[in-house]
DNA sequence: GACCAATTGAACTGTTTCGTACATTTAACA
DNA sequence: TGTTAAATGTACGAAACAGTTCAATTGGTC
């Protein structure tokens, strides 16, 4: 089975022909180099964790050199922090793209749960990065600015939908938006984060398309039942 | 705040007075030494992951020496595997202690969910170890014998209770015992595994007693609603 | 108290790994 | 075309680290 682990190649600059790494002539493309390093680094951190990842290995897989990693990111932790920030920026973007205000409460919850589930299933790298970060007690999230403010928007979104559902009489009272979010997240996260151990212990592959689809429907149903009267 | 990270000291042998590590005289207590090493190693692996943990550091924190680690466990991976096996053996024991057959279906599910939730909350080390193992694609669970058979019992237990609930008309049809288990696990695991990142992003501490209790009730309620007509 | 096997200590080895020094090349622009 | 600052390559240093060597000590047993 080939290509199960496809490395994010992404040439640093279009002017540097693929296969001719480190050729004599190149176009200045600091942003491309940065992105290239970040993509490779994410793969490595996701695969081996923070301590497990090797700077030399990352360097070897980029179109540039180890020198550039330190040039742009300072040190290994700086690189890791950049990877982490990018990952969180992405999911924020995703969440912003949701427009629940236009949907009836029930449909809004179905949509939110489905999208959240899919985002996790489609982006195991994000899930694994969050796992790695939690092993490190989220120390790097802490030292990183601009992460705190963003994700509160999800809670606000849920709060708005929940209020609406309450007024329309479809949702039951006494629920906490954070609790709702945690439930949706837990049901979306766990299948991906614990896929390997579940596979080993139960011989059940959560990644298989049918299993995933069944689990998706189950998650949506569960969240609905949690909310509705 | 002292003692938030209490190292499992556990002297290797009673005859070796605490504080007098490596004294001239000792009692033969291979099992005690083994347990001491395992306890310290678990702390280190749980705290730093497999790659992050340092054999020298583990050795320094035991009442014995690095030599003994290699003497008993072969190498770092062997030690890690032993820690992992012990952790799974423990939760198996816990699960065996449950007697759901004597309870009416609803109460059985309430009990199972509550106990599972509590076990995870009370044993963050187990949760973190499973996270570490999943980062490594559960490679060590695979190479370890005797892990597969044990946990199927939970599924059987759930299956039995579910069947009973169906016959008595309290549960709805069409559910899969594995799916039920995954839901209970997800709701129990996530709060612990992602506690640090949730704390950072939402400023909400899942570990605080009130938050934990609220979440516990929510999990039970959610599982009940998932199952009942 | 003598013997043997289990158990232990300390120093050491070879490798891995992060990070840097230093020289050099190149793009951009006057 | 000459100047300058940004960008890059190579080779190296120093520390960290897993695992080993070799000798020695000790407990149990007869």
């Amino acid at each position: 089975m080939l290509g199960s682990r496809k490395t994010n190649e992404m040439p640093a600059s279009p002017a540097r022909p693929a296969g001719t790494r480190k050729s004599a002539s190149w176009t200045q493309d600091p942003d491309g180099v940065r992105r290239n390093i970040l993509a490779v680094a994410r793969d490595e951190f996701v695969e081996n964790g923070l301590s497990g990842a090797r700077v030399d290995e990352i360097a070897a897989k980029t179109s540039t050199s180890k020198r550039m990693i330190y040039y742009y990111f300072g040190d290994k932790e700086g690189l890791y922090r950049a990877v982490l920030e990018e990952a969180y920026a992405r999911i924020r973007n995703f969440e912003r793209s949701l427009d629940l205000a236009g949907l009836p409460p029930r449909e809004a919850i179905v949509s939110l749960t489905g999208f959240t589930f899919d985002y996790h299933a489609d982006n195991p790298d994000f899930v694994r990065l969050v796992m790695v970060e939690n092993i490190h007690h989220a120390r790097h999230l802490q030292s990183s600015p601009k992460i705190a403010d963003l994700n509160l928007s999800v809670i606000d979104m849920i709060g708005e939908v929940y209020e609406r559902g309450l007024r329309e009489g479809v949702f039951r009272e006494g629920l906490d938006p954070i609790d709702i979010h945690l439930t949706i997240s837990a049901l979306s996260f766990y299948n991906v984060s614990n896929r390997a151990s579940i596979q080993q212990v139960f011989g059940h592959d959560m990644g298989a398309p049918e299993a995933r689809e069944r689990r998706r429907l189950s998650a949506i149903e569960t969240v609905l039942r949690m909310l509705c009267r």
Side-chain angles (χ1 to χ4, degrees), chain A:
Chain A
M1 174 182 171
L2 194 136
S4 81
R5 178 92 212 134
K6 125 171 146 214
T7 303
N8 222 320
E9 224 15 272
M10 191 198 293
S13 111
R16 189 178 302 156
T20 315
R21 298 176 13 157
K22 292 142 191 175
S23 75
S25 186
W26 41 272
T27 321
Q28 270 194 351
D29 183 12
D31 218 60
V33 171
R34 256 187 78 97
R35 276 200 309 275
N36 173 242
I37 294 175
L38 275 180
V40 174
R42 190 183 59 227
D43 278 0
E44 288 294 307
F45 285 130
V46 154
E47 199 55 25
N48 306 35
L50 173 51
S51 341
R54 300 295 162 223
V55 176
D56 286 300
E57 186 68 16
I58 294 172
K61 289 182 178 168
T62 62
S63 349
T64 176
S65 71
K66 181 160 70 152
R67 183 69 186 72
M68 281 296 92
I69 293 176
Y70 288 95
Y71 186 71
Y72 283 125
F73 301 99
D75 60 5
K76 191 183 177 182
E77 290 230 338
L79 178 57
Y80 172 77
R81 219 177 307 122
V83 167
L84 196 63
E85 280 171 9
E86 200 208 24
Y88 269 88
R90 269 186 208 197
I91 197 174
R92 172 188 50 182
N93 252 14
F94 153 78
E95 279 165 350
R96 260 217 274 263
S97 78
L98 284 177
D99 183 24
L100 304 184
L103 295 173
R106 255 187 76 97
E107 277 72 23
I109 290 298
V110 169
S111 173
L112 174 63
T113 307
F115 273 115
T116 304
F117 187 95
D118 288 340
Y119 187 87
H120 285 78
D122 291 337
N123 296 276
D125 281 10
F126 170 72
V127 171
R128 290 172 62 84
L129 211 49
V130 173
M131 293 168 75
V132 168
E133 182 57 8
N134 271 290
I135 287 291
H136 293 274
H137 299 286
R139 188 184 324 136
H140 311 86
L141 275 182
Q142 187 170 27
S143 69
S144 170
K146 75 189 169 183
I147 302 232
D149 52 323
L150 58 91
N151 274 52
L152 285 175
S153 55
V154 198
I155 306 297
D156 291 341
M157 270 174 44
I158 293 179
E160 187 272 330
V161 171
Y162 178 57
E163 285 297 331
R164 211 142 44 81
L166 274 185
R167 280 198 302 274
E168 297 183 16
V170 292
F171 292 159
R172 66 194 177 102
E173 293 183 23
L175 295 179
D176 180 2
I178 289 198
D179 194 47
I180 298 170
H181 170 73
L182 289 176
T183 300
I184 296 173
S185 279
L187 294 176
S188 301
F189 197 94
Y190 184 77
N191 316 300
V192 184
S193 67
N194 289 42
R195 175 179 171 183
S197 64
I198 290 168
Q199 160 87 283
Q200 284 308 318
V201 173
F202 299 110
H204 190 257
D205 183 12
M206 303 295 313
E210 330 81 53
R212 170 177 159 172
E213 184 54 23
R214 221 176 317 132
R215 190 87 192 113
R216 183 182 194 273
L217 294 176
S218 166
I220 292 175
E221 177 75 21
T222 300
V223 174
L224 274 182
R225 284 173 166 262
M226 174 201 187
L227 282 167
C228 293
R229 295 190 159 280

